């Protein structure tokens, strides 16, 4: 398309509001610009539109029939009425039809509370049904993987079939039979097992027909608090919401971001959240006294640590976690620099890269941690093998300062850090060689703090705290920032933005970026200089 | 005869005597199959333009014959040459399976999917859309009785009932002797000659309930001992 | 005209067809410009015989000219509207008439390939048509460089597999492409993006059969029959309670009452006509006192029904209207492709209600519900299958309400048990 054609606009009126849209805009998208959500099932912005649910019918003045807003393009001068008597009656009719064979089992349905059938029926449906006939019964089918199919709740929007065909490009679902016997099904025993994008069909199912086994009956939708975040499980950095009840993460859902993950995310990332809820966390700062680790207040701990660290000049060996935020990693780098400098490593599990064929900028990346790119930019180098083990040789027997952030040192030898002058451990759980530390400082995970990750494509993206911190845990950037201010007398960062602002000094890639300007969808590195 | 504007109109009423009211089931089998005129077609489908149109609801069954080998493979290749998209050969490919097996077993759908580079679930979705594909084995003779409006007005319900009674089956069941499966179907496009009954690939027209025993007897006689 | 050679087995063969003047139209057409052929067909006033009655010449003129793309002609031989059996007869008796029409049509719209999508059940007609197509390839009427004209015209016979909805033109395209026969949203119209996303025209068998006659004799000649807007002759399929059911070729505009009573012999002896469906099961039912209309597109519309594909179903006074309407709605429920909600759910629900009324367990409010369901099924879907299901429901409730009321409250323990 030439640039002039792209700029061509047509004028239209939606429910009395006149405005212009680019030529070729579909009515449903045009209406959305005025804040009108035209009810719909089969339409999904990430998929083709078959116009088959007939829910989005709108009245266009002068047109003999109601038009499906999901496929009808706005023509110049269209007067679109989304809530005219005819449109409302058509939608009421469709809703009644959809409930003909629907079991009305909202009390036991996981979708209840975020169900489009429930919402629209409450808003525009008939107060009473007229059905006096027996309903068709299909029952429950295990589709394999994490997906369970409740056929009776299905509204046959075929979003799932189209997702598997168009986006996953692994057509494992099909509409089988026809008419009112039509049902979504797999090829006999061959289900969704093995396709890592399968759970997206649960997200896009507008009703409770496709549900997650992992989430099955775990929480009601209205009890969940939703916090925007970033999937920590690979370097792609899919935008997600963390959905939390009673301070427990219940599930991850993709959050649309056209630049990163579209509307999708993989099952590997989605189902790998239980570690965020792990118990047995370090809840207070621990300081070694007479060979024992004893809990202490933050002020006492940091005072002692600053005293112990001040004047150290034999250098630092650090081991950091690629799950740590940019701000945390920057704080480690600055502290190490203040104590004579030295190398730092991170260890990361890696595996096969799996691209989503219909949206190829999204893949389950081979490095299975969110902030590998950030760690590299901030001067840490990769160590160890593809299982995330090994590579600790240099730190292990170092005789200066050892600083560990987030890495749980599972495979470290029993005498890790025994020869060091000072061994500082900042992390979540105390196990193995971490017990050799002189100072143990409880820090937060990405789910408990505000901060940012840098993804594989160099996009810096923010996340927000979704659950309460355990005990006295604090973000590492804060802990190390206060410590540093006690050592070299500079102001401690008060907010994550302060910590972020110092990253430009450590890596020019971050130069000129402002934390507050990252927004909900992030910004590419060096965006301000482009 | 004149019309509103006074113009004289020619009328050519055609009597349907060629097919229906003479009672087509009295015709020879070759006449009913159309083979008296056409003759038997080669297994490889003949000319590519028509290769995909062999009768596929036959009484013969070959449970162990490979599906796409020899003449059948040649037929499929001819079919493929007629479309710009490989997928368009799906219905003809399923016809071939149906012709050989008498129904579409899952393994065969899988094989068709592989041949045409389609997903097995897709093939299943298509196969189940069309009513002429049997999805499980049926009796040797599939008796499809039209009970749609035109036939229904002329006693199709009785014809259906008679077929069920005479074969001792319920709708969709295989009779004990393995010969019969009776189905109620939609309009067969022979409404002027009610009741229309399709038995495998053959049409029997103007069938009355009292004709049913004779039809069954005649079919039974076709089964090799 | 169309049915002249019905019953004449020799007309089936190429030799016999040529002896009856066959393929002279094709020769003539290939010597003319495409524009002239389309103009001639426009002039003839020929309208699509599949049911919608859209002018054929105008439809052809929608096709892009010299687009450089492959164009396709699709012949819709998926005849399955209840009450219709004309195309089968045309194909089994005069296969070459259809093939000649296809070849001319393909030439006129710059299609080098014509697919004839024939209903899967029509094995006999398929075999006859297949033999005829092989003959035209042998004779050089089809294939590369037809009759030395420099034009390639291919024909492929494609066999369906049992789905009424494939008679809908976009459903037919889906089916031909190897998909479920699901109709598609228009736009894009087939002339822009049809089968295999290429410009496509879809014509009914009877329409294409008329084309050689028009090419041979001219558009004006064709206008001698019929009315001003509905020209030519048409095959009418008569079934149900009449003395002489069958196919009749009559000029458009013929008086309907005269047709049923005089031409077809009226109802069986001792019975009277109660209702007539004039155009296949998809059109509104007429009561016996509404029959004084012309058999053409306009007159039928002004009578509140439609000519459809000319399938006349006659019902006499013994007819149980509720049962027949229920049977028709069962049919639509069975044949609904299942895409659109109003059709998928509405047809099946209406059928259930009708079944309950038939069993004697209906209430008067069920009739209101049925009418409202029908309203919600009309004009709300991708194709018109659900409109077709609604038409007999609303028209029968309007015209034969007493038949319904007679059943209401008639439920007994026996009917309840059997239901």
């Amino acid at each position: 398309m030439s640039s002039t054609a792209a700029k061509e606009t047509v004028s239209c009126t939606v429910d009395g509001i006149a405005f212009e849209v680019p030529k070729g805009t579909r009515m449903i998208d045009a209406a959305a610009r005025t804040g009108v959500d035209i009810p719909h099932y089969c339409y999904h912005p990430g998929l083709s539109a078959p116009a088959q649910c007939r829910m989005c019918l709108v009245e266009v003045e002068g047109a003999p029939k109601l038009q499906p807003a999901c496929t009808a393009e706005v023509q110049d001068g269209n007067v679109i009425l989304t809530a005219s008597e005819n449109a409302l009656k058509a939608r009421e009719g469709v809703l009644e039809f959809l409930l003909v064979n629907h079991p009305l089992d909202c009390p036991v349905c996981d979708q209840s509370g975020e169900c489009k059938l429930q919402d629209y029926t409450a808003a525009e449906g008939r107060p009473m049904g007229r059905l006096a006939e027996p309903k068709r019964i299909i029952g429950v089918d295990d589709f394999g993987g994490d997906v369970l199919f409740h056929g009776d709740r299905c509204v046959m929007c075929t979003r799932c079939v189209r997702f598997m065909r168009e986006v996953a490009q692994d057509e494992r679902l099909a509409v089988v039979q026809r008419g009112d016997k039509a049902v979504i099904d797999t090829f006999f025993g061959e289900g969704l097992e093995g396709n890592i994008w399968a759970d997206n069909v649960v997200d896009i199912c507008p009703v409770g027909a496709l549900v997650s086994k992992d989430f099955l009956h775990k929480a009601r939708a209205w009890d969940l608090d939703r916090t925007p975040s970033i999937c920590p499980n690979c370097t792609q950095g899919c935008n997600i919401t963390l959905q939390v009840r009673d301070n427990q993460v219940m599930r991850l859902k993709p959050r649309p971001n056209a630049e990163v993950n579209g509307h999708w995310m993989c099952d590997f990332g989605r189902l790998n959240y239980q570690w965020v809820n792990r118990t047995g966390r370090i809840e207070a700062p621990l300081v070694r006294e007479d060979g024992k680790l004893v809990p202490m207040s933050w002020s006492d701990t940091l005072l002692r640590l600053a005293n112990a660290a001040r004047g150290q000049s034999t250098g630092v060996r650090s081991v950091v976690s690629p799950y740590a935020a940019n701000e945390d990693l920057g704080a480690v780098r600055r502290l190490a620099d203040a104590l004579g400098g030295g190398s730092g490593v991170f260890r990361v599990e890696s595996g096969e890269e799996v691209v989503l064929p219909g949206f190829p900028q999204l893949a389950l990346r081979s490095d299975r941690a969110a902030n590998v790119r950030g760690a590299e930019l901030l001067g840490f180098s990769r160590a160890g093998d593809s299982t995330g083990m090994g590579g600790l040789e240099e730190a292990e027997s170092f005789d200066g300062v050892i600083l560990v952030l987030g890495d749980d040192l599972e495979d470290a030898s029993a005498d890790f850090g025994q020869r060091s002058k000072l061994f500082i451990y900042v992390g979540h759980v105390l196990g193995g060689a971490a017990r050799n530390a002189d100072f143990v400082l409880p820090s937060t995970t990405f789910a408990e703090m505000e901060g940012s990750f840098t993804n594989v494509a160099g996009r810096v993206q923010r996340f927000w705290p979704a659950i309460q911190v355990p005990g006295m845990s604090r973000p590492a950037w804060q802990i190390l920032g206060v410590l540093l201010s006690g050592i070299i007398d500079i102001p401690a960062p008060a907010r994550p933005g302060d910590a972020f602002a110092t990253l430009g000094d450590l890596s020019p890639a971050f130069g000129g970026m402002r934390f507050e300007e990252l927004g909900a969808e992030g910004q590419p590195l060096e965006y301000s200089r482009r | 005869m004149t019309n509103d504007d006074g113009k004289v109109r020619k009328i050519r009423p055609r009597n349907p005597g060629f097919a229906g009211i003479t009672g087509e089931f009295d015709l020879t089998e070759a006449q009913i199959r159309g083979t008296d005129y056409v003759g038997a077609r080669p297994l490889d489908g003949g000319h590519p333009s028509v290769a995909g149109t062999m009768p596929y609801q036959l009484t013969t069954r070959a449970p162990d014959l490979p599906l796409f080998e020899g003449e059948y493979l040649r037929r499929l290749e001819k079919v493929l040459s007629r479309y710009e998209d490989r997928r368009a050969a799906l219905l003809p490919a399923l016809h071939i399976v149906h012709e050989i097996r008498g129904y579409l077993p899952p393994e065969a759908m899988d094989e068709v999917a592989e041949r045409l580079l389609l997903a097995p679930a897709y093939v299943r979705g298509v196969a189940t859309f069309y009513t002429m594909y049997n999805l499980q084995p049926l009796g040797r003779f599939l008796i499809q009785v039209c009970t749609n409006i035109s036939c229904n007005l002329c006693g199709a319900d009785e014809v259906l009932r008679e077929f069920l009674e005479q074969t001792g089956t319920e709708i969709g069941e295989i009779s004990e002797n393995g010969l019969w499966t009776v189905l109620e179907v939609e309009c067969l496009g022979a409404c002027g000659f009610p009741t229309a009954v399709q038995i495998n690939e053959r049409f029997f027209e103007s069938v009355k309930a009292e004709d049913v025993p004779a039809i069954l007897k005649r079919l039974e006689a076709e089964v090799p001992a | 005209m169309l049915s002249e050679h019905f019953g004449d087995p020799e007309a089936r063969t190429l030799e016999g067809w040529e002896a009856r003047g066959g393929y002279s139209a094709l020769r003539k057409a290939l010597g003319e410009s495409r524009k002239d052929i389309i103009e001639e067909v426009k002039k003839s006033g020929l309208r699509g015989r599949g049911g919608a009655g859209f002018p054929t010449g105008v439809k052809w003129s929608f096709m892009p000219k010299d687009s450089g793309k492959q164009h396709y002609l699709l012949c819709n031989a998926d005849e399955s509207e209840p009450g219709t059996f004309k195309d089968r007869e045309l194909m089994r008796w005069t296969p070459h008439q259809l093939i000649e029409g296809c070849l001319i049509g393909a030439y006129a719209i710059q299609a080098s390939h014509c697919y004839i999508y024939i209903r899967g059940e029509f094995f006999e007609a398929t075999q006859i048509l297949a033999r005829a197509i092989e003959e035209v390839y042998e004779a050089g009427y089809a294939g590369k460089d037809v009759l030395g004209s420099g034009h390639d015209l291919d024909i492929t016979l494609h066999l369906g597999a049992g789905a009424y909805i494939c008679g809908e033109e976009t459903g037919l395209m889906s089916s031909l492409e190897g998909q479920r026969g699901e109709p598609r949203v228009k736009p894009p119209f087939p002339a822009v993006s049809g089968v295999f996303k290429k410009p496509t025209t879809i014509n009914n068998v009877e329409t294409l059969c008329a084309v050689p006659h028009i090419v041979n004799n001219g558009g004006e000649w064709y206008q001698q029959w019929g009315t001003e807007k509905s020209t030519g002759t048409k095959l009418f399929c008569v079934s149900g309670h009449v003395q002489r059911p069958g196919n009749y070729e009559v000029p458009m505009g013929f008086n309907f009452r005269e047709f049923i009573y005089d031409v077809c012999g009226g109802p069986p002896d001792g019975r009277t006509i109660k209702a007539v469906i004039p155009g296949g099961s998809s059109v509104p039912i007429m009561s016996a006192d509404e029959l004084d209309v012309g058999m053409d597109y306009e007159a039928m519309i002004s009578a509140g029904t439609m000519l459809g594909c000319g399938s006349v179903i006659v019902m006499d006074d013994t007819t149980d209207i509720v049962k027949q309407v229920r049977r028709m709605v069962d049919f639509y429920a069975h044949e609904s492709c299942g895409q659109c909600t109003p059709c998928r759910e509405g047809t099946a629900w209406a059928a259930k209600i009708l079944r309950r009324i038939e069993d004697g367990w209906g209430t008067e409010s069920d009739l209101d519900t049925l009418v409202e369901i029908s309203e919600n099924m009309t004009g709300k879907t991708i194709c018109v299958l659900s409109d077709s299901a609604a038409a007999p429901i609303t028209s029968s409730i309007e015209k034969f309400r007493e038949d319904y009321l007679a059943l209401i409250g008639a439920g007994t323990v026996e009917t309840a048990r059997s239901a």
Side-chain angles (χ1 to χ4, degrees):
Chain A
M1 201 191 286
S2 71
S3 58
T4 47
K7 277 175 198 153
E8 213 177 312
T9 60
V10 290
S11 60
C12 66
T13 304
V14 174
D15 294 344
I17 301 172
F19 59 108
E20 299 218 328
V21 292
K23 200 172 176 189
T25 304
R26 295 180 290 188
M27 290 181 183
I28 200 164
D29 300 327
R33 291 181 167 211
T34 66
V36 174
D37 173 31
I38 299 177
H40 59 273
Y41 293 107
C42 66
Y43 167 85
H44 185 281
L47 302 171
S48 66
Q52 65 180 51
C53 72
R54 313 311 284 181
M55 193 63 196
C56 69
L57 292 175
V58 294
E59 188 163 355
V60 180
E61 272 183 17
K65 282 183 176 184
L66 300 176
Q67 301 287 310
C70 66
T71 53
E73 289 175 3
V74 176
Q75 308 294 322
D76 198 37
N78 274 167
V79 176
I80 300 165
L81 303 170
T82 71
S84 72
E85 198 182 328
N86 283 337
L88 284 173
K89 182 163 187 316
R91 293 211 289 269
E92 188 185 276
V94 171
L95 286 167
E96 185 178 25
F97 286 136
L98 286 174
L99 291 176
V100 164
N101 283 309
H102 189 279
L104 302 172
D105 59 345
C106 307
V108 292
C109 176
D110 275 342
Q111 192 80 3
S112 193
E114 51 185 8
C115 171
K116 291 293 182 191
L117 186 56
Q118 210 177 34
D119 292 352
Y120 296 147
T121 301
E124 300 183 343
R126 287 177 61 84
M128 291 289 289
R130 288 179 290 192
L131 184 87
E133 323 317 311
K135 294 188 186 233
R136 177 200 62 182
I137 292 171
I138 295 173
V140 182
D141 194 1
D142 185 347
F143 273 3
D146 183 47
V147 182
L148 205 59
F149 177 61
H150 285 260
D152 300 311
R153 297 174 185 160
C154 179
V155 294
M156 293 301 295
C157 69
T158 70
R159 279 183 185 181
C160 52
V161 176
R162 282 175 286 133
F163 172 81
M164 293 306 289
R165 178 190 303 152
E166 296 164 9
V167 184
Q169 294 178 11
D170 180 11
E171 200 164 353
R172 300 195 194 198
L173 295 179
V175 179
V176 167
Q177 304 287 347
R178 70 183 189 206
D180 77 323
K181 293 187 181 62
V183 61
I184 308 295
D185 209 343
T186 59
F187 185 70
F188 302 98
E190 185 190 297
L192 294 169
E193 187 75 56
N195 186 302
I196 67 154
W197 308 102
D199 245 354
N200 288 294
V201 301
V202 173
D203 300 335
I204 59 179
C205 183
V207 294
L210 294 167
V211 294
S212 160
K213 291 181 203 167
D214 179 70
F215 183 69
L216 194 67
H217 304 321
K218 264 171 44 177
R220 306 309 320 229
W222 55 83
D223 286 335
L224 293 169
D225 294 319
R226 295 164 170 80
T227 308
S229 188
I230 301 298
C231 175
N233 293 317
C234 86
T235 53
Q236 175 72 29
C238 285
N239 290 208
I240 60 167
T241 56
L242 286 172
Q243 309 210 346
V244 174
R245 193 198 65 189
D246 298 340
N247 212 36
Q248 297 273 308
V249 174
M250 288 287 156
R251 61 177 180 184
L252 312 188
K253 286 279 185 186
R255 177 166 57 94
N257 184 335
E259 301 295 321
V260 182
N261 56 312
H263 304 268
W264 324 115
M265 73 184 290
C266 75
D267 292 3
F268 175 85
R270 176 198 304 268
L271 297 174
N272 190 3
Y273 63 86
Q274 289 81 359
W275 61 270
V276 181
N277 293 334
R278 79 188 285 179
T279 52
R281 293 276 294 271
I282 310 165
E283 297 203 350
L286 305 172
V287 179
R288 190 164 297 279
E289 265 188 355
D290 304 331
K292 278 187 188 157
L293 285 168
V294 293
M296 212 169 271
S297 73
W298 273 114
S299 50
D300 285 353
T301 305
L302 291 178
L303 210 55
R304 288 190 186 204
L305 178 50
N307 287 335
R310 200 176 297 119
Q312 294 283 357
S313 56
T314 45
V316 178
R317 293 290 176 271
S318 51
V319 178
V320 298
S321 159
Y323 290 94
N326 291 323
E327 295 74 11
D328 294 352
L329 296 170
V332 171
R333 173 57 51 208
R334 278 158 58 84
L335 181 63
D337 288 350
L339 299 179
S343 63
V345 297
F346 64 88
R347 311 189 297 164
V348 62
E349 255 184 84
S350 58
E352 198 193 340
E353 180 166 295
V354 188
V355 177
L356 178 57
F359 192 82
Q361 63 263 54
L362 169 57
L364 167 60
R365 301 292 172 178
S366 65
D367 287 338
R368 302 291 157 76
N371 208 18
V372 169
R373 185 76 196 276
E376 282 169 350
L377 286 171
L378 293 167
F380 298 92
S381 48
R382 187 185 295 258
D385 59 23
S386 64
T387 63
M389 300 290 174
L392 297 175
E393 299 78 13
E394 219 183 311
E396 203 160 49
S397 49
F398 186 60
D399 57 4
V401 176
I402 297 178
L403 177 54
V404 177
L405 169 68
D407 191 310
D408 60 13
L409 302 176
E410 215 179 302
D411 61 326
S413 66
D415 60 353
F416 182 97
Q418 298 285 42
R419 295 167 61 187
S420 67
K421 295 202 174 64
L422 178 61
F423 177 8
I424 308 167
Y425 184 81
V426 187
H428 313 137
V429 286
L430 194 61
R435 294 180 184 278
N436 297 342
D438 301 308
F439 290 86
V440 174
L441 310 174
S443 65
T444 53
T445 70
F446 80 103
E448 296 150 359
M449 63 187 281
E450 218 179 326
S452 66
F453 290 141
T454 310
N455 85 349
V456 67
R459 190 177 188 84
V460 185
Q461 307 189 97
R462 280 179 71 174
F463 48 82
W464 282 263
I467 53 181
Q468 288 172 4
V469 299
M472 297 162 71
S473 302
R474 289 291 178 270
W477 60 263
Q478 195 175 21
I479 300 167
L480 300 179
V482 172
L483 177 62
L484 193 61
S485 72
I487 297 171
I488 57 172
D489 193 31
I490 52 161
R495 290 180 306 273
D498 302 340
F500 184 83
T502 64
L503 296 180
D505 305 339
L506 301 169
S507 165
F510 290 97
M513 300 191 86
R514 282 170 49 79
F515 192 69
E516 292 73 18
E517 285 172 7
L518 295 176
E521 297 191 338
Q523 292 287 356
L525 283 169
E526 305 182 48
Y527 78 105
S528 55
R529 269 172 273 157
R530 280 202 312 199
Chain B
M1 224 153 294
T2 57
N3 214 318
D4 299 339
D5 55 2
K7 268 194 198 163
V8 177
R9 303 291 185 204
K10 281 187 197 164
I11 315 162
R12 279 181 184 278
R14 300 297 307 195
N15 192 293
F18 44 80
I21 57 178
T22 57
E24 189 157 19
F25 61 90
D26 286 336
L27 299 179
T28 65
E29 182 172 339
Q31 282 169 316
I32 292 173
R33 287 181 191 271
T35 51
D36 63 325
Y37 163 61
V38 176
R41 288 177 56 192
L43 270 186
D44 69 358
H47 192 274
S49 60
V50 296
T53 60
M54 304 282 278
Y56 58 90
Q57 288 200 329
L58 303 176
T59 53
T60 49
R61 307 273 189 270
D64 305 316
L65 197 69
L67 290 173
F68 297 107
E69 275 186 17
E71 285 156 318
Y72 294 108
L73 180 60
R74 279 209 293 286
R75 198 199 299 178
L76 183 66
E77 279 164 357
K78 284 181 189 176
V79 169
L80 281 166
S81 74
R82 306 298 289 190
Y83 305 97
E84 61 177 76
D85 183 356
R86 217 176 158 78
R87 189 173 60 175
L90 177 52
L91 262 60
L94 292 172
H95 293 342
I96 294 176
V97 173
H98 208 279
E99 177 184 329
I100 298 172
R101 296 277 190 268
Y103 75 110
L104 302 180
E107 318 81 71
M109 289 189 207
D110 208 4
E111 204 175 325
V112 168
E114 205 173 306
R115 285 268 163 198
L116 299 180
L117 313 176
L118 298 168
Y122 176 84
V123 173
R124 185 182 179 205
V126 173
T128 54
F129 186 85
Y130 297 96
T131 50
M132 284 180 72
Y133 294 133
N134 305 325
L135 299 172
Q136 57 269 319
L138 300 174
R140 187 183 181 93
F141 294 103
L142 175 61
I143 301 170
Q144 305 186 76
V145 184
C146 168
T147 60
N148 209 303
I149 181 159
S150 296
C151 292
N152 204 309
L153 289 167
C154 301
D157 284 348
E158 285 79 58
V159 175
L160 174 66
R161 204 172 305 136
E162 193 64 21
F163 269 115
L164 290 172
E165 206 154 285
Q166 293 285 331
T167 58
T169 60
E170 298 282 321
I171 284 179
E173 270 181 11
I174 305 176
S175 65
E176 261 173 44
N177 59 9
L179 286 185
W180 319 115
T181 297
V182 182
L183 291 180
E184 184 178 5
V185 298
E186 301 299 352
C187 185
L188 290 169
C191 318
F193 328 112
T195 294
V197 180
Q198 188 183 23
I199 301 180
N200 293 347
E201 83 282 22
R202 284 180 269 177
F203 266 54
F204 290 75
E205 297 174 3
S206 301
V207 175
K208 304 272 169 276
E210 56 267 29
D211 301 329
V212 169
I215 292 174
L216 294 179
K217 192 174 268 177
R218 172 182 167 162
L219 293 170
E220 224 164 347
E222 286 175 14
V223 181
Chain C
M1 180 174 65
L2 299 176
S3 58
E4 193 178 338
H5 302 292
F6 278 18
D8 173 3
E10 276 175 31
R12 284 175 168 173
T13 63
L14 181 62
E15 208 180 320
W17 190 248
E18 283 173 328
R20 285 159 183 77
Y23 293 101
S24 56
L26 177 64
R27 283 176 200 281
K28 190 176 173 206
L30 288 175
E32 288 176 9
S33 76
R34 302 183 147 110
K35 198 167 151 263
D36 289 347
I37 298 172
I38 294 177
E39 278 311 310
E40 207 59 39
V41 173
K42 269 191 193 168
K43 200 197 283 176
S44 75
L46 173 66
R47 293 169 66 171
R49 300 295 193 227
F54 193 82
T56 305
V58 177
K59 197 180 212 179
W60 287 3
S61 67
F62 289 157
M63 290 291 279
K65 315 284 177 290
D66 304 313
S67 66
K69 283 188 199 165
Q70 168 84 46
H71 294 188
Y72 289 107
L73 176 68
L74 246 66
C75 170
N76 185 346
D78 189 54
E79 178 176 67
S80 32
E81 175 80 7
T84 316
F85 49 104
K86 60 187 175 70
D87 297 345
R88 185 174 74 129
E89 299 306 303
L90 282 167
M91 290 187 285
R92 70 203 288 217
W93 291 113
T94 57
H96 285 289
Q97 180 172 233
L98 172 62
I99 293 167
E100 191 175 358
C102 288
L103 292 169
I104 297 170
Y107 169 70
I109 61 164
Q110 295 186 309
S112 60
H113 204 137
C114 167
Y115 293 103
I116 302 178
Y117 185 104
I118 187 165
R119 185 169 175 192
E121 282 90 340
F122 288 169
F123 286 118
E124 186 216 7
T126 303
Q127 301 319 305
I128 291 169
L129 202 53
R131 178 77 203 107
I133 292 172
E134 289 187 332
E135 282 176 341
V136 297
Y137 268 99
E138 278 160 34
Y141 290 126
K144 295 253 171 273
D145 188 18
V146 172
L147 300 173
S149 66
H151 298 291
D152 298 345
L153 295 175
D154 270 308
I155 290 198
T156 298
L157 189 58
H158 189 95
L159 189 57
Y164 169 73
I165 195 61
C166 296
E168 199 276 345
E169 59 177 17
T170 55
L172 186 124
M173 296 192 309
S174 299
S175 182
L176 186 81
E177 289 176 8
Q179 305 173 30
R180 296 163 60 83
E182 291 166 345
R184 305 173 184 172
V185 183
K186 292 185 274 192
F189 290 95
V192 176
S193 174
V195 72
F196 306 122
K197 297 198 162 64
K198 303 288 162 51
T200 303
T201 291
I202 298 119
N203 288 125
N204 177 257
V205 169
E206 194 186 345
T207 316
L208 289 169
C209 282
V211 168
H213 301 278
I214 292 168
V215 169
N216 262 335
N217 302 303
E220 245 163 74
W221 167 85
Y222 192 77
Q223 285 184 357
Q224 68 175 297
W225 296 287
T227 66
E228 196 190 331
K229 286 188 172 164
S230 302
T231 57
T233 62
K234 171 155 184 30
L235 287 181
F236 286 89
C237 316
V238 183
S239 62
H241 297 142
V242 281
Q243 300 257 13
R244 293 192 291 276
N247 276 301
Y248 294 85
E249 184 172 358
V250 296
M252 291 287 218
F254 197 80
N255 182 276
F256 197 32
R257 179 180 293 278
E258 200 176 314
F259 177 70
I260 292 171
Y261 283 92
D262 300 347
V263 179
C264 304
D269 291 336
R271 307 213 208 137
T272 55
I273 290 179
K274 180 175 191 174
V276 178
I277 301 175
S281 65
S282 307
V283 309
I285 302 175
M286 302 168 86
S287 61
D289 52 7
E290 294 175 304
L291 299 181
D292 275 312
V293 291
M295 296 165 77
D296 59 79
Y297 296 107
E298 287 71 31
M300 285 292 178
I301 286 174
S302 54
T305 180
M306 284 183 284
L307 187 71
C309 42
S311 316
V312 179
I313 304 168
V314 182
M315 296 181 249
D316 69 18
D317 51 356
T318 63
T319 307
D320 180 347
I321 292 277
V322 178
K323 178 185 170 191
Q324 295 309 333
V325 170
R326 190 267 303 158
R327 186 63 191 80
M328 280 190 266
V329 177
D330 269 346
F331 164 74
Y332 289 107
H334 182 251
E335 298 297 339
S336 166
C337 79
Q339 282 190 99
C340 300
T341 311
C343 179
R344 179 183 67 243
E345 305 294 343
T347 51
W349 183 19
K352 282 179 186 173
I353 297 177
L354 286 164
R355 170 81 73 171
R356 184 159 49 78
I357 295 174
E358 195 187 338
D359 288 340
W361 294 93
T363 63
E364 220 175 321
S365 67
D366 283 333
L367 301 184
D368 302 336
T369 307
L370 278 173
V371 170
E372 204 172 315
I373 291 175
S374 303
E375 223 170 277
N376 287 337
M377 283 161 59
T378 304
K380 308 282 195 298
T381 47
I382 294 175
C383 78
V384 294
L385 188 138
S386 79
D387 303 53
S388 302
I393 301 176
T394 43
S395 61
S396 67
I397 291 179
E398 183 192 329
K399 293 171 187 173
F400 301 98
R401 197 176 175 91
E402 326 76 72
D403 290 60
Y404 284 93
L405 293 177
L407 287 167
I408 282 167
T412 63
V413 175
E414 282 67 39
T415 56
R417 280 202 188 114
S418 69

